[in-house]
Amino acid sequence: MLQFIQCTEQNDQNVRDELLAGLSAAQPFTSPKYLYDALGSKLFEAICELPEYYPTRTEALIFRSHASAIAQAVGSGSTLIDLGAGNCAKAARLFPVLQPVQYVPVDISVNFLRDALQRLQQQFPSIVMTGIGMDFSHELLLPDSVREAKRLFFYPGSSIGNYTPDEALLFLQRIRAACDDDGGLLIGVDLVKDKAILDAAYDDALGVTAAFNLNLLRHLNHLLGTDFDVQAWRHRGFFNAQESRIEMHLEAVSALTVRWPQGERHFERGARIHTENSYKYTQRSFTDLLEQAGFGRLSFWADPQQWFMVCHAHVN
Ligand code: AVI
């Protein structure tokens, strides 16, 4: 059985208000979700193929190397809820291991899920598939057609790192609240490591991450009617060890003014727009976060270099 449900609608005025408030702030910033227009999503796929960007392949290695232990911790027959599912490929690779009864990919627009889910349903006809369009960064109210029993939330790729620790706690609490006593979470988390490795992963030699970051300006021009000139900005991506996070910024190459229909902003040479954080955790710091959110009975699997970990948590 295959079903698609659009739960939340994007409101264009809210998007504009949120973005203009960020651009007008003393320290200008934008939410990382605006990095993902159609081209941004393609550039992110390219980032995942880069030799410097270790998270994707390291997480895949962990899932391959520890498949049976993960299957044992998680148990079969779950309602697998895939947050930010995109092309559904990561979860689909785990179907033979996790043997879910229902698969529920969630993404901002249900249209992103249609093709992938139709293909998957043919491949796995016995799994009930329910595609959901929802901005789960704000709320997590699942429709009745999502089974309540054995909900397993799947949040791979270290996307949790794109929230601040406070936001991450709220997000984990929301997941906890959407689980019954038999629910759980399977999550990928990027770990603190040598600064040189982290810096390279977010400022690669080919400049793909730079293009991903700069493409935000084209997206803003489309959403807001701003007149950002991509060539007048440069990418900055580096590890801030004190905050335990990668920071991505766009930096003005020379003094310039950006205009939009209702306003403008001047940027001095070297002024920055903060476009993304990617927090890096230790097993200890992430355990604390999970426990505060109401999870327990934790299992962790990492690669031999301890660069990345996959974690399963039961509700407490
Ligand atoms: C999606 N997210 C987990 C990526 C990360 O590593 O924080 C986004 C990214 N930004 C630059 N490179 C990748």
Side-chain angles (χ1 to χ4, degrees):
M1 195 186 97
L2 179 59
Q3 196 185 17
F4 294 96
I5 306 169
Q6 182 69 41
C7 292
T8 48
E9 296 295 340
Q10 280 282 79
N11 177 324
D12 291 352
Q13 192 55 48
N14 291 353
V15 166
R16 276 195 292 271
D17 290 349
E18 180 192 326
L19 280 168
L20 285 177
L23 284 180
S24 310
Q27 305 282 335
F29 66 94
T30 51
S31 160
K33 67 185 173 200
Y34 297 108
L35 292 163
Y36 301 90
D37 65 346
L39 180 56
S41 301
K42 292 244 156 52
L43 288 166
F44 179 62
E45 278 178 31
I47 287 174
C48 295
E49 302 285 326
L50 290 171
E52 294 97 329
Y53 193 74
Y54 59 85
T56 312
R57 62 171 184 279
T58 309
E59 184 182 55
L61 171 81
I62 296 168
F63 277 122
R64 276 199 309 277
S65 320
H66 298 282
S68 56
I70 293 173
Q72 217 182 349
V74 169
S76 59
S78 62
T79 306
L80 181 62
I81 302 168
D82 185 1
L83 298 176
N87 65 11
C88 307
K90 280 189 190 179
R93 278 200 291 273
L94 292 177
F95 286 171
V97 175
L98 301 181
Q99 301 186 359
V101 169
Q102 185 178 15
Y103 173 55
V104 184
V106 184
D107 216 307
I108 187 98
S109 165
V110 79
N111 293 327
F112 294 165
L113 302 168
R114 281 186 200 279
D115 290 354
L117 208 56
Q118 265 151 2
R119 243 176 290 122
L120 269 185
Q121 183 71 97
Q122 284 179 355
Q123 240 179 306
F124 298 94
S126 63
I127 304 177
V128 173
M129 298 198 179
T130 312
I132 293 187
M134 180 190 286
D135 182 356
F136 57 84
S137 62
H138 291 302
E139 60 167 358
L140 198 49
L141 291 171
L142 295 168
D144 292 346
S145 49
V146 178
R147 275 190 348 154
E148 284 183 13
K150 280 187 135 181
R151 285 184 175 174
L152 174 66
F153 284 88
F154 182 51
Y155 199 45
S158 72
S159 296
I160 191 77
N162 297 131
Y163 293 114
T164 65
D166 285 348
E167 290 165 349
L169 177 60
L170 279 175
F171 178 68
L172 293 171
Q173 283 169 333
R174 233 177 280 139
I175 292 178
R176 167 66 190 85
C179 288
D180 270 353
D181 291 348
D182 55 1
L185 169 68
L186 185 63
I187 187 165
V189 183
D190 198 12
L191 296 172
V192 174
K193 62 186 66 60
D194 199 75
K195 178 170 165 57
I197 296 161
L198 286 163
D199 285 348
Y202 290 84
D203 194 6
D204 59 281
L206 279 178
V208 181
T209 309
F212 172 67
N213 197 10
L214 286 161
N215 177 61
L216 172 77
L217 299 177
R218 292 165 35 118
H219 194 202
L220 294 181
N221 286 347
H222 175 73
L223 293 172
L224 296 173
T226 43
D227 64 353
F228 279 105
D229 172 6
V230 170
Q231 293 190 331
W233 296 81
R234 58 168 296 184
H235 164 70
R236 294 282 186 194
F238 55 86
F239 184 55
N240 175 341
Q242 221 166 6
E243 298 287 343
S244 198
R245 70 187 188 201
I246 290 282
E247 292 181 16
M248 289 210 318
H249 301 261
L250 289 165
E251 187 178 288
V253 175
S254 56
L256 54 86
T257 299
V258 177
R259 297 185 173 83
W260 58 90
Q262 309 80 13
E264 61 178 42
R265 172 156 195 166
H266 182 73
F267 291 88
E268 291 300 337
R269 176 166 176 255
R272 289 174 174 181
I273 302 173
H274 193 160
T275 55
E276 188 182 59
N277 289 318
S278 190
Y279 281 82
K280 308 302 168 190
Y281 287 91
T282 60
Q283 186 172 318
R284 181 70 258 161
S285 62
F286 201 70
T287 298
D288 289 347
L289 203 59
L290 285 170
E291 287 179 348
Q292 275 186 68
F295 289 96
R297 289 183 287 148
L298 311 178
S299 310
F300 300 97
W301 302 273
D303 56 296
Q305 303 184 92
Q306 308 275 307
W307 281 5
F308 198 95
M309 72 179 180
V310 168
C311 170
H312 176 253
H314 292 271
V315 301
N316 235 349

